[in-house]
Amino acid sequence: MGYQFKTTFWSDFSIADIFGEDAVKDTYKRAFKEWKDDTVYVTELSLVLNWKCWQHYERGNESLSKLYSDLYYELDAWCLDHLKGDDLVYYWKTLD
Protein backbone atom coordinates (compact mmCIF):
# COMPACT_ATOMS: atom_id res chain seq x y z
CA MET A 1 0.00 0.00 0.00
CA GLY A 2 2.80 2.50 0.65
CA TYR A 3 0.56 5.17 2.22
CA GLN A 4 1.34 6.02 5.86
CA PHE A 5 -1.83 6.67 7.87
CA LYS A 6 -2.01 9.96 9.72
CA THR A 7 -5.42 9.38 11.30
CA THR A 8 -7.44 6.62 12.94
CA PHE A 9 -10.04 6.68 10.16
CA TRP A 10 -9.32 3.11 9.00
CA SER A 11 -9.78 1.78 12.54
CA ASP A 12 -12.79 4.01 13.17
CA PHE A 13 -14.59 2.72 10.09
CA SER A 14 -13.54 -0.87 10.76
CA ILE A 15 -15.26 -0.62 14.13
CA ALA A 16 -18.30 1.07 12.55
CA ASP A 17 -18.52 -1.78 10.01
CA ILE A 18 -19.31 -4.17 12.85
CA PHE A 19 -22.32 -2.08 13.87
CA GLY A 20 -23.69 -1.58 10.37
CA GLU A 21 -24.64 1.15 7.98
CA ASP A 22 -25.98 3.66 10.49
CA ALA A 23 -22.70 3.49 12.42
CA VAL A 24 -20.72 4.01 9.19
CA LYS A 25 -22.86 7.04 8.29
CA ASP A 26 -22.45 8.48 11.79
CA THR A 27 -18.69 7.93 11.72
CA TYR A 28 -18.49 9.68 8.36
CA LYS A 29 -20.58 12.64 9.51
CA ARG A 30 -18.49 13.12 12.65
CA ALA A 31 -15.16 12.77 10.81
CA PHE A 32 -16.19 15.15 8.04
CA LYS A 33 -17.53 17.76 10.44
CA GLU A 34 -14.36 17.64 12.54
CA TRP A 35 -11.76 17.47 9.77
CA LYS A 36 -13.18 19.07 6.60
CA ASP A 37 -10.89 22.09 7.05
CA ASP A 38 -7.73 19.95 7.24
CA THR A 39 -6.61 19.03 3.72
CA VAL A 40 -4.46 16.08 4.81
CA TYR A 41 -7.19 14.59 6.98
CA VAL A 42 -10.05 15.13 4.52
CA THR A 43 -7.87 13.54 1.83
CA GLU A 44 -7.22 10.53 4.04
CA LEU A 45 -10.93 10.30 4.79
CA SER A 46 -11.56 10.09 1.06
CA LEU A 47 -8.90 7.39 0.67
CA VAL A 48 -10.35 5.32 3.49
CA LEU A 49 -13.87 5.54 2.08
CA ASN A 50 -12.58 4.34 -1.29
CA TRP A 51 -10.55 1.48 0.20
CA LYS A 52 -13.48 0.41 2.39
CA CYS A 53 -15.73 0.38 -0.68
CA TRP A 54 -13.37 -2.05 -2.42
CA GLN A 55 -12.80 -4.10 0.72
CA HIS A 56 -16.52 -4.77 1.09
CA TYR A 57 -16.96 -5.32 -2.64
CA GLU A 58 -14.29 -8.03 -2.59
CA ARG A 59 -15.98 -9.63 0.44
CA GLY A 60 -19.34 -9.66 -1.34
CA ASN A 61 -21.02 -7.14 0.95
CA GLU A 62 -22.83 -5.09 -1.68
CA SER A 63 -24.71 -2.97 0.83
CA LEU A 64 -21.65 -1.65 2.67
CA SER A 65 -19.70 -1.38 -0.57
CA LYS A 66 -22.41 0.83 -2.08
CA LEU A 67 -22.64 2.95 1.07
CA TYR A 68 -18.90 3.57 1.09
CA SER A 69 -19.00 4.32 -2.64
CA ASP A 70 -21.79 6.85 -2.16
CA LEU A 71 -19.93 8.51 0.72
CA TYR A 72 -16.70 8.57 -1.28
CA TYR A 73 -18.33 10.29 -4.27
CA GLU A 74 -20.11 12.76 -1.98
CA LEU A 75 -16.82 13.67 -0.32
CA ASP A 76 -14.92 13.72 -3.62
CA ALA A 77 -17.41 16.23 -5.05
CA TRP A 78 -17.08 18.37 -1.92
CA CYS A 79 -13.27 18.29 -2.16
CA LEU A 80 -13.31 19.25 -5.84
CA ASP A 81 -15.61 22.17 -5.03
CA HIS A 82 -13.80 23.40 -1.91
CA LEU A 83 -10.10 22.57 -2.18
CA LYS A 84 -8.05 25.09 -4.14
CA GLY A 85 -4.46 25.49 -5.31
CA ASP A 86 -1.87 23.37 -3.50
CA ASP A 87 -4.59 21.72 -1.40
CA LEU A 88 -6.34 20.42 -4.50
CA VAL A 89 -3.03 19.27 -5.99
CA TYR A 90 -2.28 17.39 -2.76
CA TYR A 91 -5.71 15.74 -2.90
CA TRP A 92 -5.28 14.63 -6.52
CA LYS A 93 -1.71 13.40 -6.08
CA THR A 94 -2.53 11.48 -2.91
CA LEU A 95 -5.59 9.80 -4.39
CA ASP A 96 -3.71 8.95 -7.58
Side-chain angles (χ1 to χ4, degrees):
M1 187 175 333
Y3 180 82
Q4 296 295 316
F5 286 104
K6 296 160 185 63
T7 71
T8 60
F9 293 150
W10 182 263
S11 298
D12 297 342
F13 282 101
S14 293
I15 293 167
D17 288 345
I18 296 167
F19 296 97
E21 291 184 25
D22 287 341
V24 171
K25 290 175 192 174
D26 183 61
T27 300
Y28 170 73
K29 287 177 188 174
R30 287 184 293 111
F32 177 75
K33 181 179 178 185
E34 181 71 25
W35 298 110
K36 67 182 178 187
D37 295 324
D38 184 309
T39 300
V40 173
Y41 279 31
V42 80
T43 298
E44 187 163 304
L45 180 57
S46 187
L47 280 173
V48 168
L49 294 174
N50 185 276
W51 292 339
K52 282 291 189 178
C53 170
W54 285 106
Q55 177 188 48
H56 288 292
Y57 176 80
E58 290 172 355
R59 293 180 177 174
N61 189 334
E62 281 186 40
S63 179
L64 273 179
S65 178
K66 181 172 179 352
L67 173 59
Y68 277 110
S69 176
D70 291 347
L71 293 173
Y72 166 77
Y73 283 111
E74 176 182 313
L75 181 57
D76 183 61
W78 183 92
C79 288
L80 296 177
D81 285 344
H82 291 86
L83 298 178
K84 306 292 182 217
D86 290 341
D87 292 338
L88 185 57
V89 170
Y90 175 84
Y91 179 77
W92 280 332
K93 283 186 175 185
T94 304
L95 264 67
D96 189 26

XYZ file of all heavy atoms in Angstrom:
827
model
N 0.830 -1.193 0.000
C 0.000 0.000 0.000
C 0.868 1.248 0.000
O 0.546 2.190 -0.639
C -0.969 -0.050 1.170
C -1.972 1.038 1.153
S -3.289 1.084 2.371
C -3.629 -0.521 2.897
N 1.917 1.366 0.747
C 2.799 2.503 0.646
C 2.338 3.780 1.340
O 3.152 4.636 1.618
N 1.070 3.962 1.575
C 0.560 5.166 2.224
C 0.687 5.007 3.732
O 0.334 3.965 4.287
C -0.906 5.414 1.842
C -1.484 6.652 2.488
C -1.268 7.900 1.939
C -2.222 6.564 3.655
C -1.768 9.045 2.539
C -2.730 7.698 4.263
C -2.498 8.936 3.700
O -2.996 10.064 4.302
N 1.209 6.020 4.399
C 1.340 6.017 5.857
C 0.159 6.762 6.477
O -0.012 7.962 6.238
C 2.652 6.682 6.272
C 3.887 5.941 5.784
C 4.015 4.571 6.410
O 3.819 4.394 7.610
N 4.323 3.578 5.587
N -0.659 6.052 7.239
C -1.828 6.668 7.871
C -1.427 7.771 8.837
O -0.455 7.649 9.572
C -2.645 5.625 8.633
C -3.429 4.710 7.749
C -3.003 3.408 7.535
C -4.585 5.132 7.130
C -3.724 2.554 6.727
C -5.323 4.297 6.316
C -4.879 2.992 6.118
N -2.205 8.834 8.819
C -2.011 9.964 9.718
C -3.175 10.087 10.705
O -3.129 10.892 11.618
C -1.872 11.251 8.901
C -0.624 11.240 8.020
C -0.727 12.246 6.887
C 0.440 12.161 5.940
N 0.588 10.904 5.232
N -4.220 9.319 10.477
C -5.425 9.382 11.305
C -5.801 7.981 11.765
O -5.165 6.996 11.394
C -6.620 9.944 10.504
O -7.031 8.957 9.544
C -6.269 11.246 9.805
N -6.880 7.918 12.519
C -7.438 6.622 12.940
C -8.662 6.257 12.096
O -9.425 5.375 12.474
C -7.840 6.667 14.426
O -8.831 7.697 14.604
C -6.642 6.936 15.320
N -8.838 6.910 10.948
C -10.044 6.677 10.157
C -10.231 5.206 9.793
O -11.348 4.691 9.847
C -10.057 7.519 8.883
C -10.180 9.002 9.112
C -9.620 9.892 8.213
C -10.853 9.512 10.212
C -9.737 11.259 8.400
C -10.970 10.878 10.417
C -10.414 11.756 9.507
N -9.171 4.522 9.382
C -9.320 3.112 8.998
C -9.876 2.307 10.170
O -10.826 1.543 10.013
C -7.991 2.533 8.518
C -8.157 1.114 8.076
C -7.907 -0.016 8.806
C -8.656 0.655 6.819
N -8.222 -1.139 8.081
C -8.678 -0.749 6.854
C -9.088 1.316 5.662
C -9.109 -1.519 5.784
C -9.519 0.544 4.602
C -9.531 -0.854 4.658
N -9.303 2.491 11.346
C -9.782 1.783 12.538
C -11.194 2.208 12.906
O -12.032 1.369 13.263
C -8.849 2.032 13.724
O -7.567 1.548 13.463
N -11.460 3.495 12.831
C -12.792 4.009 13.170
C -13.862 3.367 12.294
O -14.907 2.928 12.794
C -12.848 5.527 13.003
C -11.904 6.267 13.923
O -11.444 5.690 14.932
O -11.609 7.444 13.634
N -13.599 3.303 10.989
C -14.586 2.715 10.090
C -14.631 1.199 10.212
O -15.692 0.598 10.019
C -14.344 3.157 8.640
C -14.834 4.554 8.379
C -13.952 5.625 8.351
C -16.185 4.808 8.183
C -14.399 6.918 8.121
C -16.653 6.094 7.959
C -15.750 7.151 7.929
N -13.526 0.576 10.548
C -13.537 -0.869 10.761
C -14.418 -1.227 11.949
O -15.144 -2.227 11.921
C -12.110 -1.386 10.971
O -11.353 -1.243 9.781
N -14.373 -0.414 12.982
C -15.261 -0.615 14.134
C -16.705 -0.343 13.727
O -17.612 -1.121 14.051
C -14.833 0.276 15.312
C -13.476 -0.192 15.849
C -15.898 0.275 16.412
C -12.804 0.782 16.790
N -16.933 0.723 12.997
C -18.295 1.067 12.553
C -18.882 -0.051 11.691
O -20.085 -0.331 11.774
C -18.292 2.386 11.801
N -18.049 -0.681 10.862
C -18.517 -1.781 10.010
C -19.246 -2.854 10.821
O -20.254 -3.401 10.372
C -17.343 -2.454 9.287
C -16.741 -1.604 8.187
O -17.375 -0.616 7.756
O -15.619 -1.948 7.752
N -18.732 -3.130 11.986
C -19.315 -4.174 12.848
C -20.741 -3.818 13.232
O -21.603 -4.701 13.340
C -18.440 -4.366 14.108
C -17.057 -4.879 13.704
C -19.112 -5.295 15.112
C -16.014 -4.801 14.804
N -21.016 -2.533 13.403
C -22.317 -2.082 13.874
C -23.280 -1.704 12.751
O -24.425 -1.344 13.005
C -22.139 -0.930 14.863
C -21.421 -1.358 16.112
C -20.058 -1.155 16.254
C -22.105 -2.002 17.128
C -19.391 -1.567 17.388
C -21.452 -2.416 18.272
C -20.085 -2.208 18.403
N -22.802 -1.755 11.511
C -23.693 -1.578 10.374
C -23.696 -0.192 9.760
O -22.915 0.694 10.117
N -24.602 -0.046 8.815
C -24.642 1.154 7.976
C -24.869 2.449 8.752
O -24.254 3.465 8.440
C -25.707 0.995 6.896
C -25.344 -0.054 5.873
C -26.348 -0.160 4.743
O -27.057 0.832 4.465
O -26.404 -1.239 4.130
N -25.744 2.431 9.725
C -25.982 3.665 10.489
C -24.719 4.108 11.218
O -24.436 5.310 11.296
C -27.131 3.481 11.483
C -28.485 3.439 10.801
O -28.596 3.900 9.644
O -29.447 2.934 11.431
N -23.951 3.160 11.736
C -22.698 3.494 12.421
C -21.677 4.054 11.432
O -20.940 4.990 11.755
C -22.142 2.260 13.130
N -21.628 3.499 10.223
C -20.722 4.013 9.194
C -21.108 5.442 8.830
O -20.253 6.337 8.762
C -20.720 3.101 7.951
C -19.967 3.743 6.798
C -20.138 1.734 8.280
N -22.398 5.680 8.618
C -22.860 7.035 8.292
C -22.525 8.022 9.405
O -22.077 9.143 9.143
C -24.372 7.038 8.049
C -24.800 6.339 6.791
C -26.320 6.288 6.716
C -26.804 5.363 5.631
N -28.275 5.214 5.646
N -22.739 7.615 10.649
C -22.451 8.480 11.787
C -20.950 8.767 11.888
O -20.547 9.912 12.127
C -22.955 7.836 13.078
C -22.731 8.726 14.274
O -23.275 9.848 14.301
O -21.991 8.306 15.195
N -20.137 7.762 11.678
C -18.690 7.932 11.724
C -18.245 8.904 10.645
O -17.415 9.790 10.881
C -17.980 6.572 11.574
O -18.402 5.716 12.647
C -16.469 6.719 11.605
N -18.813 8.758 9.457
C -18.486 9.677 8.361
C -18.887 11.105 8.713
O -18.086 12.041 8.549
C -19.175 9.244 7.072
C -19.072 10.288 5.994
C -17.879 10.519 5.331
C -20.170 11.087 5.658
C -17.767 11.501 4.359
C -20.066 12.063 4.685
C -18.873 12.265 4.044
O -18.766 13.247 3.090
N -20.102 11.293 9.193
C -20.576 12.644 9.513
C -19.693 13.310 10.566
O -19.355 14.484 10.450
C -22.032 12.596 10.006
C -23.022 12.331 8.905
C -24.435 12.232 9.459
C -25.397 11.778 8.387
N -26.736 11.531 8.911
N -19.335 12.553 11.591
C -18.492 13.117 12.648
C -17.093 13.447 12.125
O -16.546 14.508 12.421
C -18.422 12.179 13.844
C -19.715 12.159 14.652
C -19.642 11.302 15.914
N -19.498 9.888 15.580
C -18.390 9.171 15.795
N -17.324 9.714 16.347
N -18.344 7.900 15.467
N -16.510 12.539 11.346
C -15.160 12.766 10.814
C -15.152 13.966 9.868
O -14.255 14.816 9.943
C -14.653 11.514 10.101
N -16.134 14.031 8.986
C -16.189 15.146 8.041
C -16.360 16.472 8.769
O -15.644 17.443 8.489
C -17.318 14.943 7.028
C -17.451 16.093 6.080
C -16.530 16.265 5.058
C -18.476 17.011 6.214
C -16.630 17.347 4.180
C -18.595 18.091 5.340
C -17.668 18.254 4.328
N -17.278 16.525 9.705
C -17.529 17.760 10.442
C -16.267 18.232 11.166
O -15.943 19.422 11.149
C -18.658 17.548 11.450
C -19.019 18.777 12.246
C -20.149 18.517 13.218
C -20.457 19.764 14.026
N -21.467 19.504 15.048
N -15.547 17.304 11.758
C -14.362 17.644 12.540
C -13.162 18.015 11.668
O -12.372 18.881 12.033
C -13.986 16.469 13.446
C -12.785 16.712 14.322
C -13.038 17.698 15.458
O -14.193 17.854 15.881
O -12.054 18.325 15.910
N -13.013 17.372 10.514
C -11.762 17.467 9.766
C -11.867 18.056 8.367
O -10.872 18.087 7.642
C -11.108 16.082 9.690
C -10.767 15.583 11.046
C -11.371 14.555 11.704
C -9.769 16.098 11.930
N -10.808 14.398 12.956
C -9.823 15.339 13.111
C -8.840 17.137 11.833
C -8.983 15.575 14.182
C -8.003 17.379 12.905
C -8.077 16.598 14.070
N -13.017 18.562 7.975
C -13.177 19.066 6.603
C -12.255 20.237 6.281
O -11.961 20.489 5.120
C -14.631 19.436 6.323
C -15.122 20.621 7.110
C -16.565 20.897 6.819
C -17.037 22.062 7.664
N -18.453 22.268 7.542
N -11.767 20.942 7.280
C -10.894 22.086 7.050
C -9.407 21.716 7.059
O -8.558 22.588 6.900
C -11.167 23.187 8.076
C -12.570 23.759 7.931
O -13.044 23.866 6.783
O -13.187 24.083 8.960
N -9.111 20.434 7.240
C -7.732 19.953 7.236
C -7.525 19.131 5.965
O -8.056 18.027 5.833
C -7.475 19.100 8.483
C -6.038 18.654 8.605
O -5.487 18.099 7.627
O -5.462 18.828 9.692
N -6.769 19.672 5.029
C -6.608 19.028 3.721
C -6.055 17.609 3.830
O -6.538 16.699 3.153
C -5.690 19.873 2.824
O -6.287 21.162 2.661
C -5.481 19.234 1.471
N -5.068 17.408 4.670
C -4.462 16.079 4.808
C -5.491 15.091 5.355
O -5.639 13.979 4.845
C -3.210 16.148 5.705
C -2.674 14.753 6.009
C -2.132 17.012 5.040
N -6.232 15.496 6.358
C -7.192 14.586 6.980
C -8.393 14.322 6.074
O -8.876 13.199 5.987
C -7.640 15.126 8.335
C -6.666 14.837 9.458
C -5.290 14.743 9.229
C -7.117 14.676 10.752
C -4.409 14.488 10.260
C -6.233 14.408 11.797
C -4.893 14.316 11.539
O -4.016 14.052 12.558
N -8.904 15.342 5.405
C -10.053 15.126 4.522
C -9.634 14.255 3.336
O -10.411 13.439 2.841
C -10.731 16.446 4.105
C -9.996 17.144 2.982
C -12.177 16.219 3.713
N -8.381 14.394 2.906
C -7.870 13.539 1.834
C -7.785 12.096 2.308
O -8.195 11.169 1.594
C -6.483 14.039 1.364
O -6.629 15.362 0.844
C -5.893 13.132 0.307
N -7.292 11.894 3.510
C -7.220 10.533 4.039
C -8.618 9.954 4.251
O -8.837 8.763 4.025
C -6.423 10.490 5.342
C -6.196 9.062 5.808
C -5.108 8.948 6.837
O -3.967 9.386 6.575
O -5.409 8.398 7.919
N -9.551 10.767 4.658
C -10.933 10.304 4.793
C -11.436 9.791 3.449
O -12.055 8.723 3.369
C -11.820 11.428 5.325
C -13.298 11.119 5.516
C -13.508 9.930 6.463
C -14.025 12.362 6.036
N -11.154 10.515 2.401
C -11.557 10.089 1.060
C -10.896 8.768 0.676
O -11.549 7.861 0.146
C -11.205 11.193 0.053
O -11.715 10.893 -1.213
N -9.613 8.647 0.951
C -8.899 7.394 0.671
C -9.533 6.215 1.398
O -9.756 5.155 0.811
C -7.437 7.503 1.113
C -6.465 8.226 0.222
C -5.116 8.367 0.927
C -6.294 7.486 -1.085
N -9.795 6.402 2.672
C -10.350 5.320 3.487
C -11.732 4.915 2.974
O -12.038 3.721 2.886
C -10.370 5.701 4.977
C -11.200 4.726 5.796
C -8.941 5.769 5.518
N -12.551 5.876 2.614
C -13.873 5.540 2.077
C -13.730 4.709 0.804
O -14.447 3.711 0.620
C -14.672 6.814 1.786
C -15.056 7.659 2.991
C -15.701 8.958 2.524
C -15.967 6.906 3.946
N -12.800 5.082 -0.055
C -12.576 4.335 -1.290
C -12.069 2.928 -1.004
O -12.564 1.954 -1.578
C -11.599 5.097 -2.182
C -11.429 4.429 -3.524
O -10.631 3.501 -3.652
N -12.172 4.887 -4.505
N -11.100 2.805 -0.135
C -10.554 1.484 0.201
C -11.601 0.598 0.863
O -11.671 -0.602 0.597
C -9.340 1.623 1.107
C -8.150 2.242 0.445
C -7.885 2.317 -0.896
C -7.070 2.899 1.088
N -6.705 2.969 -1.118
C -6.171 3.342 0.082
C -6.758 3.163 2.417
C -5.006 4.013 0.370
C -5.589 3.838 2.707
C -4.723 4.253 1.701
N -12.417 1.179 1.729
C -13.480 0.410 2.388
C -14.520 -0.062 1.362
O -15.040 -1.174 1.469
C -14.148 1.239 3.489
C -13.343 1.314 4.763
C -13.334 -0.046 5.417
C -12.752 -0.047 6.786
N -12.811 -1.393 7.382
N -14.814 0.771 0.383
C -15.730 0.378 -0.684
C -15.220 -0.884 -1.360
O -15.968 -1.864 -1.533
C -15.871 1.510 -1.697
S -16.759 1.042 -3.195
N -13.947 -0.894 -1.731
C -13.373 -2.051 -2.422
C -13.227 -3.246 -1.493
O -13.424 -4.392 -1.911
C -12.026 -1.669 -3.046
C -12.248 -0.848 -4.266
C -12.046 0.499 -4.409
C -12.787 -1.298 -5.509
N -12.414 0.905 -5.666
C -12.874 -0.176 -6.364
C -13.214 -2.529 -5.986
C -13.351 -0.261 -7.670
C -13.693 -2.614 -7.281
C -13.756 -1.489 -8.107
N -12.917 -3.006 -0.239
C -12.803 -4.104 0.723
C -14.131 -4.853 0.821
O -14.166 -6.083 0.750
C -12.410 -3.562 2.104
C -12.340 -4.640 3.171
C -12.144 -4.068 4.565
O -12.850 -3.140 4.956
N -11.191 -4.617 5.299
N -15.209 -4.121 0.949
C -16.519 -4.769 1.091
C -16.996 -5.371 -0.229
O -17.672 -6.401 -0.234
C -17.536 -3.788 1.685
C -17.259 -3.530 3.125
N -17.415 -4.476 4.103
C -16.772 -2.425 3.754
C -17.069 -3.982 5.275
N -16.673 -2.735 5.086
N -16.635 -4.757 -1.329
C -16.964 -5.322 -2.640
C -16.307 -6.694 -2.800
O -16.951 -7.664 -3.206
C -16.509 -4.372 -3.751
C -16.735 -4.923 -5.135
C -17.996 -4.867 -5.722
C -15.703 -5.538 -5.838
C -18.216 -5.386 -6.991
C -15.909 -6.055 -7.100
C -17.169 -5.981 -7.675
O -17.393 -6.504 -8.927
N -15.019 -6.764 -2.462
C -14.294 -8.030 -2.585
C -14.826 -9.099 -1.643
O -14.735 -10.288 -1.935
C -12.797 -7.798 -2.348
C -12.145 -7.017 -3.468
C -10.716 -6.603 -3.174
O -10.225 -6.846 -2.043
O -10.086 -6.032 -4.079
N -15.408 -8.693 -0.531
C -15.983 -9.632 0.437
C -17.432 -9.986 0.111
O -18.053 -10.766 0.822
C -15.905 -9.061 1.843
C -14.487 -8.934 2.356
C -14.465 -8.372 3.740
N -13.103 -8.321 4.246
C -12.766 -7.762 5.392
N -13.693 -7.203 6.154
N -11.512 -7.755 5.784
N -17.975 -9.366 -0.933
C -19.339 -9.660 -1.341
C -20.414 -8.929 -0.561
O -21.591 -9.281 -0.651
N -20.040 -7.910 0.180
C -21.015 -7.142 0.949
C -21.428 -5.921 0.120
O -20.881 -4.828 0.262
C -20.428 -6.723 2.294
C -21.462 -6.111 3.210
O -22.455 -5.556 2.762
N -21.226 -6.206 4.507
N -22.396 -6.144 -0.767
C -22.833 -5.088 -1.680
C -23.369 -3.859 -0.961
O -23.140 -2.730 -1.393
C -23.906 -5.619 -2.629
C -23.370 -6.418 -3.766
C -24.466 -6.792 -4.756
O -25.340 -5.936 -5.028
O -24.432 -7.922 -5.239
N -24.085 -4.076 0.112
C -24.714 -2.973 0.829
C -23.667 -2.002 1.390
O -23.754 -0.788 1.181
C -25.594 -3.533 1.944
O -26.201 -2.503 2.671
N -22.683 -2.526 2.117
C -21.651 -1.647 2.670
C -20.761 -1.088 1.569
O -20.339 0.068 1.642
C -20.809 -2.377 3.717
C -21.345 -2.349 5.143
C -20.428 -3.124 6.083
C -21.535 -0.934 5.651
N -20.497 -1.873 0.545
C -19.695 -1.375 -0.570
C -20.374 -0.177 -1.220
O -19.732 0.850 -1.485
C -19.469 -2.480 -1.601
O -18.728 -1.996 -2.691
N -21.663 -0.277 -1.465
C -22.407 0.831 -2.078
C -22.435 2.048 -1.159
O -22.262 3.180 -1.623
C -23.822 0.414 -2.440
C -24.598 1.566 -3.100
C -25.922 1.143 -3.628
C -26.734 2.244 -4.260
N -26.297 3.605 -4.173
N -22.630 1.828 0.124
C -22.640 2.948 1.066
C -21.297 3.674 1.039
O -21.250 4.906 0.928
C -22.952 2.470 2.483
C -22.833 3.537 3.582
C -23.755 4.716 3.316
C -23.095 2.917 4.941
N -20.219 2.928 1.128
C -18.900 3.566 1.086
C -18.664 4.271 -0.246
O -18.065 5.348 -0.285
C -17.790 2.555 1.362
C -17.559 2.318 2.831
C -17.909 1.120 3.440
C -16.980 3.299 3.627
C -17.688 0.899 4.787
C -16.765 3.104 4.982
C -17.108 1.899 5.563
O -16.901 1.692 6.898
N -19.128 3.679 -1.322
C -18.996 4.318 -2.636
C -19.758 5.638 -2.671
O -19.229 6.666 -3.128
C -19.514 3.387 -3.735
O -19.475 4.008 -4.988
N -20.986 5.619 -2.191
C -21.793 6.846 -2.165
C -21.125 7.930 -1.316
O -21.077 9.105 -1.714
C -23.191 6.558 -1.623
C -24.037 5.708 -2.554
O -23.661 5.536 -3.740
O -25.076 5.185 -2.087
N -20.598 7.538 -0.148
C -19.931 8.509 0.722
C -18.657 9.034 0.067
O -18.358 10.235 0.146
C -19.616 7.883 2.087
C -20.816 7.532 2.951
C -20.362 6.776 4.195
C -21.636 8.756 3.322
N -17.925 8.144 -0.594
C -16.704 8.570 -1.282
C -17.030 9.616 -2.355
O -16.386 10.662 -2.421
C -15.983 7.380 -1.921
C -14.934 7.823 -2.901
C -13.708 8.318 -2.464
C -15.182 7.814 -4.273
C -12.751 8.774 -3.360
C -14.236 8.267 -5.174
C -13.025 8.747 -4.709
O -12.090 9.206 -5.601
N -18.009 9.344 -3.196
C -18.331 10.289 -4.273
C -18.897 11.603 -3.731
O -18.653 12.669 -4.307
C -19.264 9.655 -5.304
C -18.503 8.720 -6.216
C -18.707 7.350 -6.167
C -17.550 9.208 -7.105
C -17.984 6.491 -6.989
C -16.833 8.363 -7.926
C -17.052 7.011 -7.865
O -16.318 6.182 -8.668
N -19.619 11.533 -2.632
C -20.112 12.758 -1.981
C -18.927 13.599 -1.496
O -18.870 14.815 -1.729
C -21.014 12.380 -0.807
C -21.514 13.534 0.020
C -22.356 13.066 1.198
O -23.244 12.220 1.011
O -22.091 13.559 2.317
N -17.982 12.947 -0.831
C -16.821 13.673 -0.317
C -15.920 14.150 -1.455
O -15.403 15.268 -1.412
C -16.024 12.797 0.650
C -14.802 13.447 1.279
C -15.175 14.726 2.036
C -14.089 12.468 2.192
N -15.739 13.330 -2.474
C -14.920 13.720 -3.615
C -15.486 14.987 -4.264
O -14.729 15.920 -4.561
C -14.849 12.581 -4.628
C -13.948 12.896 -5.802
O -12.734 13.133 -5.582
O -14.445 12.905 -6.940
N -16.778 15.041 -4.458
C -17.405 16.232 -5.045
C -17.183 17.444 -4.153
O -16.888 18.547 -4.646
C -18.903 15.985 -5.264
N -17.311 17.255 -2.846
C -17.079 18.366 -1.916
C -15.635 18.855 -2.044
O -15.384 20.065 -2.106
C -17.374 17.932 -0.476
C -17.230 19.056 0.498
C -18.201 19.906 0.917
C -16.020 19.485 1.145
N -17.681 20.837 1.789
C -16.341 20.593 1.947
C -14.707 19.032 1.129
C -15.393 21.253 2.719
C -13.760 19.699 1.897
C -14.117 20.796 2.679
N -14.688 17.920 -2.066
C -13.273 18.289 -2.162
C -12.985 19.043 -3.459
O -12.267 20.043 -3.447
C -12.390 17.043 -2.065
S -12.333 16.344 -0.395
N -13.549 18.579 -4.558
C -13.308 19.245 -5.835
C -13.911 20.643 -5.868
O -13.406 21.528 -6.559
C -13.831 18.395 -6.991
C -13.118 17.049 -7.175
C -13.762 16.266 -8.311
C -11.634 17.221 -7.391
N -14.978 20.854 -5.111
C -15.608 22.175 -5.031
C -14.911 23.117 -4.049
O -14.958 24.332 -4.228
C -17.075 22.050 -4.608
C -17.970 21.555 -5.710
O -17.551 21.583 -6.889
O -19.101 21.121 -5.399
N -14.296 22.562 -3.001
C -13.797 23.401 -1.913
C -12.280 23.500 -1.811
O -11.781 24.495 -1.273
C -14.363 22.922 -0.572
C -15.822 23.164 -0.447
N -16.779 22.288 -0.925
C -16.505 24.212 0.071
C -17.969 22.777 -0.698
N -17.847 23.937 -0.099
N -11.558 22.502 -2.257
C -10.099 22.573 -2.180
C -9.583 23.378 -3.360
O -10.053 23.224 -4.484
C -9.491 21.174 -2.166
C -9.869 20.280 -0.987
C -9.226 18.908 -1.131
C -9.506 20.920 0.348
N -8.615 24.204 -3.109
C -8.054 25.085 -4.142
C -6.530 25.005 -4.120
O -5.923 24.661 -3.110
C -8.476 26.548 -3.900
C -9.970 26.773 -3.771
C -10.703 26.538 -5.063
C -12.180 26.814 -4.887
N -13.028 25.931 -5.613
N -5.913 25.348 -5.235
C -4.460 25.489 -5.314
C -3.707 24.247 -4.866
O -3.997 23.131 -5.287
N -2.714 24.466 -3.986
C -1.874 23.374 -3.502
C -2.681 22.303 -2.769
O -2.314 21.124 -2.797
C -0.780 23.903 -2.570
C 0.273 24.702 -3.318
O 0.374 24.568 -4.556
O 1.012 25.470 -2.649
N -3.757 22.702 -2.106
C -4.590 21.725 -1.399
C -5.236 20.753 -2.383
O -5.270 19.542 -2.150
C -5.672 22.423 -0.569
C -5.092 23.199 0.603
O -3.958 22.886 1.030
O -5.774 24.113 1.084
N -5.721 21.273 -3.480
C -6.341 20.419 -4.501
C -5.290 19.535 -5.164
O -5.546 18.351 -5.425
C -7.075 21.269 -5.534
C -7.874 20.514 -6.596
C -8.917 19.586 -5.957
C -8.548 21.503 -7.542
N -4.115 20.078 -5.414
C -3.025 19.273 -5.990
C -2.663 18.136 -5.042
O -2.480 16.990 -5.465
C -1.797 20.166 -6.300
C -0.586 19.317 -6.670
C -2.126 21.153 -7.413
N -2.568 18.429 -3.755
C -2.282 17.390 -2.761
C -3.350 16.293 -2.807
O -3.036 15.105 -2.806
C -2.199 17.989 -1.349
C -2.021 16.944 -0.285
C -0.755 16.452 0.007
C -3.111 16.419 0.408
C -0.574 15.462 0.968
C -2.948 15.437 1.366
C -1.681 14.960 1.645
O -1.522 13.970 2.587
N -4.599 16.693 -2.849
C -5.710 15.743 -2.898
C -5.569 14.825 -4.125
O -5.623 13.607 -4.009
C -7.037 16.505 -2.916
C -8.258 15.629 -2.995
C -8.717 14.957 -1.870
C -8.955 15.482 -4.182
C -9.837 14.136 -1.938
C -10.070 14.673 -4.260
C -10.511 13.997 -3.126
O -11.617 13.199 -3.201
N -5.382 15.415 -5.282
C -5.282 14.629 -6.515
C -4.080 13.694 -6.483
O -4.183 12.532 -6.841
C -5.182 15.535 -7.737
C -6.480 16.093 -8.204
C -7.722 15.542 -8.054
C -6.673 17.301 -8.930
N -8.678 16.355 -8.629
C -8.052 17.425 -9.182
C -5.807 18.274 -9.392
C -8.580 18.503 -9.874
C -6.336 19.349 -10.083
C -7.725 19.458 -10.323
N -2.925 14.221 -6.089
C -1.712 13.400 -6.075
C -1.819 12.251 -5.076
O -1.363 11.149 -5.334
C -0.490 14.252 -5.762
C -0.030 15.074 -6.935
C 1.272 15.782 -6.637
C 1.759 16.500 -7.875
N 3.070 17.108 -7.664
N -2.410 12.513 -3.940
C -2.525 11.481 -2.912
C -3.511 10.397 -3.342
O -3.261 9.210 -3.128
C -2.953 12.097 -1.571
O -2.019 13.121 -1.215
C -2.996 11.058 -0.470
N -4.608 10.786 -3.954
C -5.586 9.803 -4.395
C -5.138 9.039 -5.629
O -5.646 7.955 -5.912
C -6.945 10.463 -4.656
C -7.913 10.381 -3.484
C -7.430 11.190 -2.318
C -9.291 10.768 -3.885
N -4.186 9.595 -6.356
C -3.714 8.952 -7.576
C -2.997 7.722 -7.240
O -2.518 6.896 -7.197
C -2.827 9.910 -8.375
C -2.494 9.364 -9.745
O -3.270 8.569 -10.277
O -1.446 9.752 -10.268
